[in-house]
Every structure is written in structure tokens, then in C-alpha cells.
């Protein structure tokens, strides 16, 4: 019997047929995020996000074209916060632009400085506010016309109104036009007494230009504020709100700001402002602050290499456009030197190393304003101060140069006289008589006070120079009066000269404002007279009676001048 062929039986061991579509795995089902869980970039671009942190797959594969991958599950993101702040600020700016009128914008060339004497027809006629010098040497300042000034009181805001919107340091408006003219007029007439070394004509014309405070064609804000400060002190009619306190605050504020600015004359104007503030502190008796400002002025001079003008050494920093500007730089340096010696006379340390073996000052001696350009300036100048101390200098006979030399002699005498107790007596005598020879030679070259052709202002300067020279003699010889008859006679003669020159100044003086150094020099004279005159002679001899009369007159002068400066009284 033939076997039957049956089809094979399906059993469980046979693999099942594969379905037409593969089943989705559980991991793929978990990769889809619920609504609102995607990162901000994927939500903005409406693409699938895998939710991987800290950076999802879409952002990672973007190659850096997407912003930072952030999720908004825990409050607003940093991007959202920044967008909200930007939108709020833009809205505020639109409100301000809608409600506030636009202020005018002043444009100027950053490398151009106005030369009024070269272009007298620019903006206004110079004749409307020209500075004139009278036959007596005094300065007269005609007032500006309304057309030339082109300013009105309505354009100014009082300090009280400005202070309501911020601190006092934000006050940058100038006083009204009439007050500006008054302040400038009172200052310029006495400017030589406060160490003002700039060309007065140029300064006055630039100060009255119809440009805002800080314009490059005008003096720097610090310098203008310092001038207004002195003008307010010399103007009893100036009262609140434009007073000395406001101008002093503005001056100190702008001094710290101007040097960081771009004003073409920021260094020389900052130097002038520092000197004016130092003299101001000296006049009102704030000695520590004044000494600090004087040291700042000296540091500014050396930092700008003003001690090497016309030097064969590397050039100085401050460039000058013409001879007048170079003259201002020269005069500014020596004015700072004079001021430094003033503070030494008041008991402060010197900011200049006059006691070193070699004093590194090459700048030529100063000239009276206007004289520098009328003669050929030196091609080179070297060792100016050292040659003077070595008694080999034969130039420098302007009033500014004589003033600087006399103050330097006083400083040297104070230094040498103060070391006599510490050094060997013989060595001290050698130094004393060497400096005394230099002082006497300098004194012999001074003009006579009795010359009738000297204008009042120049006469007062000459009185100061003579008194400084006599003060140097006193401070040099006073420590030796007990052991040297020569020193005793020198002290007595110098003290009587100071009293005589003081009476001369009181007779011819054109103002009650005097140089506060006179208070120190009068004290030196009193010390010399008292130290060299026994008490028995003061009442029993003709010399003693004359001495008491001179001292009485000196006390009367001190009482008069102490009203203007407490350091004199």
C-alpha cells in the first residue's frame, strides 16, 4: 500500500509571519513631549523637541545658529526678562521724546582752537569787548553789548532749581550775563595778585564768547569756575545762590573732570585753576587744602615737562600754537614754583627738590606778558635754576622772574637756616654766607621803590619782591644772631626794610587786597626785631622808641589787611 503524502502540520515552533508594519517601541513613544514642554527655540520655530537637557538635540545639531537652549518650565527665562526690559525702556524713550523738546546740539572741530587775534571778525566784533590797558598799567574792561554777547537771563537756571533734579555737581550753568561781567571785571583788575599767568586779553575775550560752558574755544570749565570764585570773593554784592561755596564746589569738580576730557588747553588751564584755588585757600586760611593744591600744580608742571621748555633734553609734553602760548606755559611753571615757596614759608614741605646737588629745571625765566613775542626767544635753555643758585645766571629781570627768584631765595634761606642747629657751625656759616652773597647781589639789581614812573600795580609787586628778599635775609641769619654780630645787623636791617616797604605800599596801594605772604614776612620782621633788641633798650634808647613806633604802625596795618585774609592777622 502506497504511503499517503500529507501537508506538514503547523506547530508553535514555526515562526509567525511578520506584520506588515513594525510596532513602535516604548522608547520612541516616550520621546514625544507634551504641549508646552519644548525648549524656547523649538517652540518659536515650531519643530519637534526631544527635551534633552541642558541642550536638546535640535539646538545641538544647529551648529550654533540657535540661541542658548532654555526651558520655560520654572518661570520666565533670561531671554524673556531681557526682552521685557528692552520693551519697557523703548516705551519710556518714546514717552520722553514725545514730551520733552530737543535741546540744541553744538558741534565744533576737536582740533581747532580759536585765535581771536588772527580772526577778529569771527562771530562778533572784538572792539565790543576789547581789553584795554591804561597809562597807569591798570586794566579796564568795557562791558559787552547785548548783540555781541547774544545771551539772555532767561537762558540761565539758578543753582537751586538745578539742584532739585540732582546733586550740586550736576550744575553746569553759568551765572547771568550781568553777573559774569561783574565777576570777570573784579577778577582781572586784581588777577596778578592770585598767580594768574595767562594772557589777560586772550582769556577775557575767550571767556565772553557766546558758546556754552565746555566749548573748546572758551576757557575750560575748571578755569572759568576758579575765576568766578575769585570774582565772587572780590564782589561783596554777589550773594546766594551764586556764591563762593558754589563756585568752589564747581571748580573742584571740574578740575577732576577736565584733565580726562579733550579740551585743547586742558593742561595749562587745569594748572591755572589749581594755582587760583591754592591762592584762594591761602587767603581764607585753609592751609592744608591750599598746600595740597599747590603740590598738585607742581606735579602737573613736571608731569607735562614744563620744566624743560626750550631744553636740549627730550621735548616737553604740552605743545604751543604760537609764542604767546609758550609764554603762558613758561610763566605757568614759574608761578607754580613761586607758589610752592609761599607754602614753604607757611611751614609746609617743598614739592620741588631745591636741595639736591643739581636742580633739573631748564625752562627760561618768565617774561611780562607780551614781551616774549617781541624779542627772539632763546633757541635752547639749560640749567636755569641751578645757574641762578650757583650765582652764574645773568638773565631774567622781568617782574615775574624777580618774583620767582625772590621766593626761591626765601625757600633756600628757610631750609639752610633750619639746619644750622644740626650741622657743624663752621659748615653752617659757610653755607649762610654763600647764600647771603647771592641775596645781596639779587637785592642790588632790584628797581628802586621811589621811582616815579612805576605804575601802582607794578609798585605793589616790587614791594612783595623786596619783602621776600628781606625775609630771606632774616630767616638765614636769625639762628646766628647770638654768635655773630654780622647776622644781628643783617636781621635788623632787613626787618626795618620790610617795615619801610610796607608803609610805602600802604601809601601807594590801589586796593586793600594784598598778597597773603606779607603776613608771614611781617611776622619774620617782628621776630627779628624782638630777638635782637634787649628789653632795656626798647624803652630807654632812641632806637627802642623808634622800634615801638614801627611795631605799632605794623599792628595797625595787620588789623586793616586781616579783614581780607585771616593769615595776615
Amino acid at each position: 500500500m502506497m504511503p499517503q503524502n500529507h501537508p506538514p502540520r503547523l506547530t508553535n515552533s514555526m515562526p509567525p509571519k511578520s506584520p506588515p508594519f513594525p510596532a513602535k517601541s516604548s522608547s520612541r513613544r516616550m520621546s514625544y513631549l507634551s504641549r508646552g514642554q519644548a525648549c524656547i527655540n523649538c517652540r518659536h520655530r515650531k519643530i519637534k523637541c526631544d527635551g534633552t537637557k541642558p541642550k536638546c538635540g535640535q539646538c545641538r545639531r544647529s551648529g550654533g545658529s540657535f540661541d542658548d537652549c532654555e526651558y520655560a518650565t520654572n518661570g520666565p527665562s533670561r531671554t524673556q526678562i531681557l526682552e521685557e526690559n528692552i520693551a519697557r525702556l523703548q516705551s519710556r524713550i518714546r514717552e520722553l521724546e514725545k514730551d520733552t523738546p530737543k535741546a540744541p546740539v553744538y558741534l565744533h572741530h576737536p582740533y581747532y582752537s580759536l585765535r581771536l587775534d588772527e580772526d577778529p571778525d569771527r562771530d562778533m566784533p572784538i572792539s565790543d569787548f576789547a581789553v584795554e590797558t591804561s597809562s597807569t598799567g591798570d586794566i579796564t574792561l568795557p562791558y559787552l553789548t547785548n548783540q555781541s554777547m547774544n545771551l539772555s537771563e532767561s537762558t540761565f537756571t539758578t543753582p537751586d532749581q538745578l539742584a532739585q533734579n540732582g546733586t550740586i555737581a550736576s550744575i553746569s550753568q553759568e551765572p547771568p550775563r550781568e553777573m559774569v561781567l561783574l565777576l570777570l571785571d573784579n577778577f582781572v583788575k586784581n588777577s596778578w595778585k592770585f598767580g594768574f599767568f595767562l594772557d589777560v586779553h586772550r582769556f577775557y575775550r575767550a571767556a565772553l564768547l557766546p558758546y556754552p560752558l565746555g566749548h573748546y574755544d572758551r576757557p575750560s570749565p575748571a578755569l572759568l569756575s576758579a575765576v568766578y570764585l575769585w570774582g565772587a570773593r572780590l564782589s561783596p554784592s554777589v550773594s546766594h545762590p551764586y556764591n563762593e561755596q558754589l563756585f568752589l564746589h564747581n571748580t573742584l569738580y571740574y578740575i577732576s573732570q577736565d584733565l580726562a576730557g579733550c579740551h585743547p588747553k586742558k593742561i595749562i588751564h587745569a594748572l591755572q585753576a589749581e594755582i587760583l584755588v591754592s591762592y584762594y585757600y591761602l587767603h581764607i586760611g585753609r592751609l592744608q587744602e591750599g598746600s595740597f593744591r599747590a603740590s598738585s600744580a607742581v606735579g602737573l608742571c613736571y608731569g607735562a615737562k614744563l620744566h624743560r621748555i626750550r631744553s636740549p633734553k627730550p621735548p616737553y609734553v604740552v605743545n604751543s600754537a604760537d609764542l604767546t602760548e609758550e609764554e603762558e606755559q613758561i610763566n605757568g611753571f614759574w608761578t607754580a614754583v613761586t607758589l610752592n615757596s609761599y607754602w614753604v614759608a607757611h611751614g609746609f614741605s617743598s614739592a620741588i627738590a631745591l636741595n639736591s646737588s643739581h636742580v633739573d629745571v631748564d625752562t627760561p625765566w618768565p617774561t611780562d606778558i607780551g614781551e616774549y613775542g617781541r624779542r627772539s626767544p632763546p633757541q635752547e635753555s639749560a640749567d636755569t635754576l641751578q645757574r641762578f643758585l650757583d650765582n652764574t645766571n645773568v638773565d631774567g629781570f622781568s617782574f615775574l622772574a624777580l618774583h620767582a627768584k625772590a621766593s626761591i631765595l626765601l625757600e633756600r634761606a628757610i631750609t639752610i637756616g633750619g639746619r644750622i642747629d644740626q650741622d657743624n657751625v663752621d659748615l653752617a656759616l659757610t653755607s649762610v654766607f654763600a647764600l647771603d652773597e647771592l641775596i645781596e647781589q639779587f637785592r642790588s639789581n632790584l628797581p628802586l621803590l621811589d621811582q616815579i614812573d612805576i605804575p601802582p600795580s607794578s609798585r605793589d609787586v616790587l614791594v612783595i619782591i623786596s619783602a621776600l628778599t628781606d625775609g630771606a635775609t632774616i630767616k638765614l641769619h636769625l639762628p646766628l644772631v647770638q654768635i655773630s654780630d654780622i647776622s644781628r645787623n643783617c636781621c635788623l636791617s632787613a626787618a626795618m626794610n620790610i617795615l619801610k616797604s610796607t608803609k610805602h605800599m600802604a601809601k601807594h596801594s590801589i586796593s586793600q587786597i594784598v598778597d597773603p605772604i606779607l603776613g608771614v614776612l611781617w611776622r619774620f620782621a617782628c621776630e627779628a626785631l624782638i630777638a635782637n633788641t634787649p628789653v632795656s633798650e626798647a624803652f630807654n634808647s632812641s632806637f627802642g622808641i623808634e622800634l615801638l613806633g614801627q611795631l605799632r604802625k605794623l599792628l595797625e596795618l595787620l588789623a586793616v589787611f586781616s579783614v581780607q585774609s585771616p593769615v595776615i592777622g
Side-chain angles (χ1 to χ4, degrees), residues 183 186-187 190-191 193-195 224-235 244 247-248 251 272-273 275-284 513-514 516 564:
L183 297 175
N186 289 334
F187 170 79
N190 299 277
S191 60
K193 301 176 183 178
F194 319 132
L224 280 176
S225 299
V227 169
Y228 295 155
L229 170 66
W230 267 111
R233 179 160 183 82
L234 299 174
S235 306
E244 294 180 44
F247 293 131
L248 177 59
T251 302
Q272 181 66 90
I275 290 175
L276 290 176
V277 173
S278 182
Y279 269 99
Y280 175 80
Y281 280 137
L282 181 57
H283 268 265
I284 65 177
I513 300 295
V514 298
Q564 295 292 338

mmCIF file of all heavy atoms in Angstrom, residues 183 186-187 190-191 193-195 224-235 244 247-248 251 272-273 275-284 513-514 516 564:
data_model
loop_
_atom_site.group_PDB
_atom_site.id
_atom_site.type_symbol
_atom_site.label_atom_id
_atom_site.label_comp_id
_atom_site.label_asym_id
_atom_site.label_seq_id
_atom_site.Cartn_x
_atom_site.Cartn_y
_atom_site.Cartn_z
ATOM 1 N N LEU A 183 31.885 139.638 37.707
ATOM 2 C CA LEU A 183 32.899 138.731 38.260
ATOM 3 C C LEU A 183 34.215 138.844 37.497
ATOM 4 O O LEU A 183 35.297 138.902 38.099
ATOM 5 C CB LEU A 183 32.390 137.296 38.229
ATOM 6 C CG LEU A 183 31.153 136.981 39.075
ATOM 7 C CD1 LEU A 183 30.698 135.543 38.847
ATOM 8 C CD2 LEU A 183 31.420 137.225 40.548
ATOM 9 N N ASN A 186 36.008 142.295 38.253
ATOM 10 C CA ASN A 186 36.672 142.356 39.555
ATOM 11 C C ASN A 186 37.889 141.436 39.610
ATOM 12 O O ASN A 186 38.880 141.762 40.268
ATOM 13 C CB ASN A 186 35.683 141.965 40.659
ATOM 14 C CG ASN A 186 34.634 143.030 40.888
ATOM 15 O OD1 ASN A 186 34.849 144.208 40.624
ATOM 16 N ND2 ASN A 186 33.466 142.624 41.363
ATOM 17 N N PHE A 187 37.811 140.316 38.921
ATOM 18 C CA PHE A 187 38.950 139.399 38.950
ATOM 19 C C PHE A 187 40.135 139.937 38.171
ATOM 20 O O PHE A 187 41.268 139.940 38.660
ATOM 21 C CB PHE A 187 38.532 138.033 38.386
ATOM 22 C CG PHE A 187 39.699 137.115 38.168
ATOM 23 C CD1 PHE A 187 40.265 136.426 39.225
ATOM 24 C CD2 PHE A 187 40.260 136.957 36.905
ATOM 25 C CE1 PHE A 187 41.351 135.589 39.030
ATOM 26 C CE2 PHE A 187 41.334 136.119 36.695
ATOM 27 C CZ PHE A 187 41.884 135.433 37.764
ATOM 28 N N ASN A 190 42.575 142.460 39.600
ATOM 29 C CA ASN A 190 43.460 142.015 40.681
ATOM 30 C C ASN A 190 44.135 140.681 40.380
ATOM 31 O O ASN A 190 44.704 140.060 41.280
ATOM 32 C CB ASN A 190 42.650 141.874 41.979
ATOM 33 C CG ASN A 190 42.030 143.182 42.433
ATOM 34 O OD1 ASN A 190 42.662 143.994 43.076
ATOM 35 N ND2 ASN A 190 40.769 143.368 42.089
ATOM 36 N N SER A 191 44.051 140.230 39.133
ATOM 37 C CA SER A 191 44.469 138.866 38.816
ATOM 38 C C SER A 191 45.945 138.610 39.105
ATOM 39 O O SER A 191 46.328 137.473 39.429
ATOM 40 C CB SER A 191 44.159 138.554 37.351
ATOM 41 O OG SER A 191 44.849 139.451 36.489
ATOM 42 N N LYS A 193 47.582 139.331 41.580
ATOM 43 C CA LYS A 193 47.812 139.019 42.982
ATOM 44 C C LYS A 193 47.511 137.563 43.317
ATOM 45 O O LYS A 193 47.819 137.118 44.418
ATOM 46 C CB LYS A 193 46.947 139.922 43.864
ATOM 47 C CG LYS A 193 47.199 141.407 43.669
ATOM 48 C CD LYS A 193 46.250 142.240 44.499
ATOM 49 C CE LYS A 193 46.462 143.725 44.251
ATOM 50 N NZ LYS A 193 45.516 144.564 45.022
ATOM 51 N N PHE A 194 46.889 136.830 42.391
ATOM 52 C CA PHE A 194 46.471 135.469 42.670
ATOM 53 C C PHE A 194 47.182 134.459 41.785
ATOM 54 O O PHE A 194 46.717 133.332 41.629
ATOM 55 C CB PHE A 194 44.955 135.321 42.476
ATOM 56 C CG PHE A 194 44.159 136.471 42.994
ATOM 57 C CD1 PHE A 194 43.175 137.056 42.216
ATOM 58 C CD2 PHE A 194 44.394 136.988 44.254
ATOM 59 C CE1 PHE A 194 42.449 138.124 42.683
ATOM 60 C CE2 PHE A 194 43.668 138.064 44.732
ATOM 61 C CZ PHE A 194 42.697 138.637 43.945
ATOM 62 N N GLY A 195 48.298 134.839 41.179
ATOM 63 C CA GLY A 195 49.044 133.906 40.361
ATOM 64 C C GLY A 195 48.437 133.652 38.996
ATOM 65 O O GLY A 195 48.636 132.574 38.430
ATOM 66 N N LEU A 224 37.187 128.665 34.340
ATOM 67 C CA LEU A 224 36.128 129.663 34.475
ATOM 68 C C LEU A 224 35.535 129.652 35.878
ATOM 69 O O LEU A 224 35.272 130.712 36.466
ATOM 70 C CB LEU A 224 35.038 129.409 33.438
ATOM 71 C CG LEU A 224 35.319 129.902 32.017
ATOM 72 C CD1 LEU A 224 34.201 129.491 31.079
ATOM 73 C CD2 LEU A 224 35.503 131.411 31.993
ATOM 74 N N SER A 225 35.325 128.470 36.431
ATOM 75 C CA SER A 225 34.766 128.375 37.782
ATOM 76 C C SER A 225 35.718 128.979 38.806
ATOM 77 O O SER A 225 35.279 129.652 39.755
ATOM 78 C CB SER A 225 34.467 126.916 38.126
ATOM 79 O OG SER A 225 33.517 126.358 37.242
ATOM 80 N N ALA A 226 37.030 128.762 38.641
ATOM 81 C CA ALA A 226 38.002 129.344 39.563
ATOM 82 C C ALA A 226 38.025 130.869 39.451
ATOM 83 O O ALA A 226 38.157 131.569 40.471
ATOM 84 C CB ALA A 226 39.390 128.770 39.288
ATOM 85 N N VAL A 227 37.892 131.377 38.242
ATOM 86 C CA VAL A 227 37.844 132.835 38.065
ATOM 87 C C VAL A 227 36.576 133.398 38.687
ATOM 88 O O VAL A 227 36.604 134.441 39.363
ATOM 89 C CB VAL A 227 37.936 133.179 36.568
ATOM 90 C CG1 VAL A 227 37.626 134.652 36.333
ATOM 91 C CG2 VAL A 227 39.321 132.849 36.029
ATOM 92 N N TYR A 228 35.441 132.734 38.473
ATOM 93 C CA TYR A 228 34.198 133.181 39.103
ATOM 94 C C TYR A 228 34.306 133.121 40.629
ATOM 95 O O TYR A 228 33.741 133.958 41.339
ATOM 96 C CB TYR A 228 33.027 132.319 38.638
ATOM 97 C CG TYR A 228 32.712 132.427 37.169
ATOM 98 C CD1 TYR A 228 32.068 131.394 36.488
ATOM 99 C CD2 TYR A 228 33.069 133.557 36.436
ATOM 100 C CE1 TYR A 228 31.776 131.484 35.141
ATOM 101 C CE2 TYR A 228 32.795 133.654 35.085
ATOM 102 C CZ TYR A 228 32.146 132.612 34.440
ATOM 103 O OH TYR A 228 31.860 132.710 33.101
ATOM 104 N N LEU A 229 35.044 132.127 41.136
ATOM 105 C CA LEU A 229 35.245 132.016 42.582
ATOM 106 C C LEU A 229 35.944 133.250 43.132
ATOM 107 O O LEU A 229 35.494 133.847 44.131
ATOM 108 C CB LEU A 229 36.062 130.755 42.873
ATOM 109 C CG LEU A 229 36.587 130.588 44.299
ATOM 110 C CD1 LEU A 229 35.436 130.414 45.270
ATOM 111 C CD2 LEU A 229 37.542 129.393 44.380
ATOM 112 N N TRP A 230 37.028 133.653 42.482
ATOM 113 C CA TRP A 230 37.738 134.846 42.937
ATOM 114 C C TRP A 230 36.902 136.104 42.702
ATOM 115 O O TRP A 230 36.927 137.034 43.513
ATOM 116 C CB TRP A 230 39.084 134.958 42.218
ATOM 117 C CG TRP A 230 40.197 134.326 42.981
ATOM 118 C CD1 TRP A 230 40.877 133.198 42.661
ATOM 119 C CD2 TRP A 230 40.751 134.803 44.201
ATOM 120 N NE1 TRP A 230 41.827 132.932 43.613
ATOM 121 C CE2 TRP A 230 41.782 133.901 44.572
ATOM 122 C CE3 TRP A 230 40.492 135.895 45.026
ATOM 123 C CZ2 TRP A 230 42.536 134.071 45.725
ATOM 124 C CZ3 TRP A 230 41.237 136.055 46.182
ATOM 125 C CH2 TRP A 230 42.250 135.152 46.522
ATOM 126 N N GLY A 231 36.182 136.145 41.571
ATOM 127 C CA GLY A 231 35.326 137.299 41.331
ATOM 128 C C GLY A 231 34.260 137.442 42.395
ATOM 129 O O GLY A 231 33.944 138.567 42.827
ATOM 130 N N ALA A 232 33.709 136.315 42.859
ATOM 131 C CA ALA A 232 32.703 136.373 43.921
ATOM 132 C C ALA A 232 33.318 136.845 45.230
ATOM 133 O O ALA A 232 32.676 137.586 45.995
ATOM 134 C CB ALA A 232 32.065 134.994 44.096
ATOM 135 N N ARG A 233 34.556 136.426 45.514
ATOM 136 C CA ARG A 233 35.196 136.866 46.750
ATOM 137 C C ARG A 233 35.487 138.365 46.720
ATOM 138 O O ARG A 233 35.457 139.036 47.767
ATOM 139 C CB ARG A 233 36.484 136.079 46.986
ATOM 140 C CG ARG A 233 37.205 136.504 48.257
ATOM 141 C CD ARG A 233 38.162 135.454 48.755
ATOM 142 N NE ARG A 233 38.792 135.865 50.003
ATOM 143 C CZ ARG A 233 38.243 135.748 51.204
ATOM 144 N NH1 ARG A 233 37.039 135.226 51.318
ATOM 145 N NH2 ARG A 233 38.874 136.129 52.287
ATOM 146 N N LEU A 234 35.772 138.884 45.562
ATOM 147 C CA LEU A 234 36.085 140.309 45.438
ATOM 148 C C LEU A 234 34.844 141.161 45.217
ATOM 149 O O LEU A 234 34.969 142.381 45.080
ATOM 150 C CB LEU A 234 37.057 140.521 44.271
ATOM 151 C CG LEU A 234 38.408 139.811 44.386
ATOM 152 C CD1 LEU A 234 39.203 139.981 43.108
ATOM 153 C CD2 LEU A 234 39.182 140.331 45.577
ATOM 154 N N SER A 235 33.666 140.545 45.170
ATOM 155 C CA SER A 235 32.422 141.275 44.888
ATOM 156 C C SER A 235 31.491 141.130 46.077
ATOM 157 O O SER A 235 30.789 140.111 46.201
ATOM 158 C CB SER A 235 31.748 140.734 43.626
ATOM 159 O OG SER A 235 32.647 140.730 42.536
ATOM 160 N N GLU A 244 30.529 132.000 46.814
ATOM 161 C CA GLU A 244 31.840 131.349 46.792
ATOM 162 C C GLU A 244 31.734 129.837 46.974
ATOM 163 O O GLU A 244 32.488 129.075 46.357
ATOM 164 C CB GLU A 244 32.723 131.944 47.894
ATOM 165 C CG GLU A 244 33.086 133.402 47.686
ATOM 166 C CD GLU A 244 33.959 133.939 48.794
ATOM 167 O OE1 GLU A 244 34.915 133.235 49.194
ATOM 168 O OE2 GLU A 244 33.685 135.049 49.293
ATOM 169 N N PHE A 247 30.839 128.200 43.604
ATOM 170 C CA PHE A 247 31.931 128.259 42.636
ATOM 171 C C PHE A 247 33.114 127.394 43.070
ATOM 172 O O PHE A 247 33.792 126.803 42.224
ATOM 173 C CB PHE A 247 32.375 129.702 42.422
ATOM 174 C CG PHE A 247 31.347 130.561 41.740
ATOM 175 C CD1 PHE A 247 30.999 131.800 42.251
ATOM 176 C CD2 PHE A 247 30.709 130.127 40.590
ATOM 177 C CE1 PHE A 247 30.053 132.583 41.625
ATOM 178 C CE2 PHE A 247 29.758 130.909 39.962
ATOM 179 C CZ PHE A 247 29.427 132.141 40.479
ATOM 180 N N LEU A 248 33.381 127.319 44.368
ATOM 181 C CA LEU A 248 34.461 126.456 44.847
ATOM 182 C C LEU A 248 34.124 124.991 44.577
ATOM 183 O O LEU A 248 34.986 124.225 44.121
ATOM 184 C CB LEU A 248 34.692 126.674 46.337
ATOM 185 C CG LEU A 248 35.753 125.773 46.994
ATOM 186 C CD1 LEU A 248 37.115 125.962 46.336
ATOM 187 C CD2 LEU A 248 35.834 126.048 48.488
ATOM 188 N N THR A 251 34.518 124.338 40.889
ATOM 189 C CA THR A 251 35.928 124.336 40.489
ATOM 190 C C THR A 251 36.585 123.002 40.812
ATOM 191 O O THR A 251 37.267 122.406 39.972
ATOM 192 C CB THR A 251 36.677 125.474 41.194
ATOM 193 O OG1 THR A 251 36.067 126.730 40.878
ATOM 194 C CG2 THR A 251 38.132 125.511 40.742
ATOM 195 N N GLN A 272 46.345 126.485 35.780
ATOM 196 C CA GLN A 272 45.918 127.803 36.240
ATOM 197 C C GLN A 272 44.815 127.693 37.287
ATOM 198 O O GLN A 272 44.800 128.434 38.280
ATOM 199 C CB GLN A 272 45.425 128.637 35.051
ATOM 200 C CG GLN A 272 44.964 130.038 35.411
ATOM 201 C CD GLN A 272 46.088 130.922 35.906
ATOM 202 O OE1 GLN A 272 46.755 131.605 35.142
ATOM 203 N NE2 GLN A 272 46.309 130.920 37.224
ATOM 204 N N ALA A 273 43.883 126.770 37.102
ATOM 205 C CA ALA A 273 42.809 126.584 38.073
ATOM 206 C C ALA A 273 43.363 126.110 39.416
ATOM 207 O O ALA A 273 42.933 126.585 40.485
ATOM 208 C CB ALA A 273 41.783 125.590 37.528
ATOM 209 N N ILE A 275 46.309 126.682 40.675
ATOM 210 C CA ILE A 275 47.016 127.793 41.319
ATOM 211 C C ILE A 275 46.019 128.785 41.913
ATOM 212 O O ILE A 275 46.200 129.276 43.043
ATOM 213 C CB ILE A 275 47.952 128.468 40.308
ATOM 214 C CG1 ILE A 275 49.129 127.535 39.979
ATOM 215 C CG2 ILE A 275 48.460 129.807 40.829
ATOM 216 C CD1 ILE A 275 50.055 128.052 38.902
ATOM 217 N N LEU A 276 44.959 129.096 41.190
ATOM 218 C CA LEU A 276 43.957 130.031 41.708
ATOM 219 C C LEU A 276 43.289 129.477 42.962
ATOM 220 O O LEU A 276 43.053 130.213 43.930
ATOM 221 C CB LEU A 276 42.914 130.315 40.631
ATOM 222 C CG LEU A 276 43.373 131.150 39.429
ATOM 223 C CD1 LEU A 276 42.256 131.274 38.405
ATOM 224 C CD2 LEU A 276 43.839 132.529 39.871
ATOM 225 N N VAL A 277 42.974 128.188 42.968
ATOM 226 C CA VAL A 277 42.336 127.582 44.140
ATOM 227 C C VAL A 277 43.300 127.565 45.320
ATOM 228 O O VAL A 277 42.904 127.805 46.468
ATOM 229 C CB VAL A 277 41.841 126.169 43.813
ATOM 230 C CG1 VAL A 277 41.335 125.472 45.067
ATOM 231 C CG2 VAL A 277 40.730 126.222 42.787
ATOM 232 N N SER A 278 44.588 127.289 45.067
ATOM 233 C CA SER A 278 45.564 127.282 46.148
ATOM 234 C C SER A 278 45.699 128.664 46.775
ATOM 235 O O SER A 278 45.743 128.802 48.013
ATOM 236 C CB SER A 278 46.922 126.797 45.622
ATOM 237 O OG SER A 278 47.878 126.749 46.664
ATOM 238 N N TYR A 279 45.760 129.710 45.954
ATOM 239 C CA TYR A 279 45.800 131.075 46.483
ATOM 240 C C TYR A 279 44.520 131.397 47.246
ATOM 241 O O TYR A 279 44.552 132.101 48.266
ATOM 242 C CB TYR A 279 45.996 132.075 45.343
ATOM 243 C CG TYR A 279 47.442 132.399 45.048
ATOM 244 C CD1 TYR A 279 48.121 131.793 43.999
ATOM 245 C CD2 TYR A 279 48.140 133.321 45.813
ATOM 246 C CE1 TYR A 279 49.442 132.080 43.714
ATOM 247 C CE2 TYR A 279 49.464 133.623 45.546
ATOM 248 C CZ TYR A 279 50.114 133.001 44.497
ATOM 249 O OH TYR A 279 51.430 133.289 44.229
ATOM 250 N N TYR A 280 43.400 130.896 46.763
ATOM 251 C CA TYR A 280 42.131 131.148 47.453
ATOM 252 C C TYR A 280 42.157 130.528 48.848
ATOM 253 O O TYR A 280 41.771 131.170 49.839
ATOM 254 C CB TYR A 280 40.984 130.574 46.634
ATOM 255 C CG TYR A 280 39.637 130.680 47.317
ATOM 256 C CD1 TYR A 280 38.915 131.881 47.311
ATOM 257 C CD2 TYR A 280 39.085 129.581 47.974
ATOM 258 C CE1 TYR A 280 37.692 131.982 47.942
ATOM 259 C CE2 TYR A 280 37.858 129.676 48.612
ATOM 260 C CZ TYR A 280 37.165 130.867 48.585
ATOM 261 O OH TYR A 280 35.942 130.965 49.212
ATOM 262 N N TYR A 281 42.596 129.277 48.943
ATOM 263 C CA TYR A 281 42.685 128.635 50.246
ATOM 264 C C TYR A 281 43.660 129.378 51.153
ATOM 265 O O TYR A 281 43.444 129.466 52.377
ATOM 266 C CB TYR A 281 43.126 127.184 50.078
ATOM 267 C CG TYR A 281 42.027 126.236 49.682
ATOM 268 C CD1 TYR A 281 42.231 125.261 48.702
ATOM 269 C CD2 TYR A 281 40.776 126.292 50.285
ATOM 270 C CE1 TYR A 281 41.225 124.380 48.344
ATOM 271 C CE2 TYR A 281 39.763 125.417 49.927
ATOM 272 C CZ TYR A 281 39.996 124.467 48.954
ATOM 273 O OH TYR A 281 38.993 123.601 48.608
ATOM 274 N N LEU A 282 44.737 129.891 50.586
ATOM 275 C CA LEU A 282 45.693 130.651 51.382
ATOM 276 C C LEU A 282 45.059 131.923 51.926
ATOM 277 O O LEU A 282 45.255 132.289 53.090
ATOM 278 C CB LEU A 282 46.923 130.989 50.532
ATOM 279 C CG LEU A 282 48.052 131.763 51.222
ATOM 280 C CD1 LEU A 282 48.562 131.016 52.442
ATOM 281 C CD2 LEU A 282 49.188 132.026 50.245
ATOM 282 N N HIS A 283 44.249 132.592 51.108
ATOM 283 C CA HIS A 283 43.606 133.830 51.543
ATOM 284 C C HIS A 283 42.591 133.584 52.657
ATOM 285 O O HIS A 283 42.454 134.421 53.554
ATOM 286 C CB HIS A 283 42.924 134.508 50.360
ATOM 287 C CG HIS A 283 43.792 135.492 49.650
ATOM 288 N ND1 HIS A 283 43.781 136.840 49.921
ATOM 289 C CD2 HIS A 283 44.720 135.329 48.676
ATOM 290 C CE1 HIS A 283 44.644 137.467 49.143
ATOM 291 N NE2 HIS A 283 45.233 136.571 48.377
ATOM 292 N N ILE A 284 41.863 132.480 52.601
ATOM 293 C CA ILE A 284 40.814 132.245 53.601
ATOM 294 C C ILE A 284 41.320 131.424 54.784
ATOM 295 O O ILE A 284 40.552 131.115 55.702
ATOM 296 C CB ILE A 284 39.591 131.549 52.976
ATOM 297 C CG1 ILE A 284 39.940 130.143 52.483
ATOM 298 C CG2 ILE A 284 39.025 132.392 51.849
ATOM 299 C CD1 ILE A 284 38.744 129.378 51.926
ATOM 300 N N ILE A 513 43.258 144.455 48.821
ATOM 301 C CA ILE A 513 43.617 143.063 48.609
ATOM 302 C C ILE A 513 45.127 142.979 48.456
ATOM 303 O O ILE A 513 45.697 143.559 47.533
ATOM 304 C CB ILE A 513 42.922 142.493 47.363
ATOM 305 C CG1 ILE A 513 41.413 142.576 47.529
ATOM 306 C CG2 ILE A 513 43.353 141.060 47.118
ATOM 307 C CD1 ILE A 513 40.875 141.720 48.644
ATOM 308 N N VAL A 514 45.776 142.278 49.358
ATOM 309 C CA VAL A 514 47.228 142.169 49.326
ATOM 310 C C VAL A 514 47.614 140.710 49.263
ATOM 311 O O VAL A 514 46.821 139.807 49.551
ATOM 312 C CB VAL A 514 47.866 142.835 50.563
ATOM 313 C CG1 VAL A 514 47.537 144.321 50.602
ATOM 314 C CG2 VAL A 514 47.407 142.141 51.836
ATOM 315 N N PRO A 516 48.920 137.444 50.596
ATOM 316 C CA PRO A 516 48.963 136.951 51.986
ATOM 317 C C PRO A 516 50.354 136.590 52.466
ATOM 318 O O PRO A 516 50.542 136.385 53.666
ATOM 319 C CB PRO A 516 48.052 135.715 51.943
ATOM 320 C CG PRO A 516 48.041 135.283 50.519
ATOM 321 C CD PRO A 516 48.156 136.542 49.712
ATOM 322 N N GLN A 564 40.745 141.018 54.899
ATOM 323 C CA GLN A 564 40.727 140.315 53.628
ATOM 324 C C GLN A 564 41.322 138.917 53.727
ATOM 325 O O GLN A 564 40.938 138.030 52.964
ATOM 326 C CB GLN A 564 41.498 141.123 52.571
ATOM 327 C CG GLN A 564 40.872 142.455 52.223
ATOM 328 C CD GLN A 564 39.553 142.293 51.497
ATOM 329 O OE1 GLN A 564 39.280 141.257 50.905
ATOM 330 N NE2 GLN A 564 38.721 143.316 51.566
#
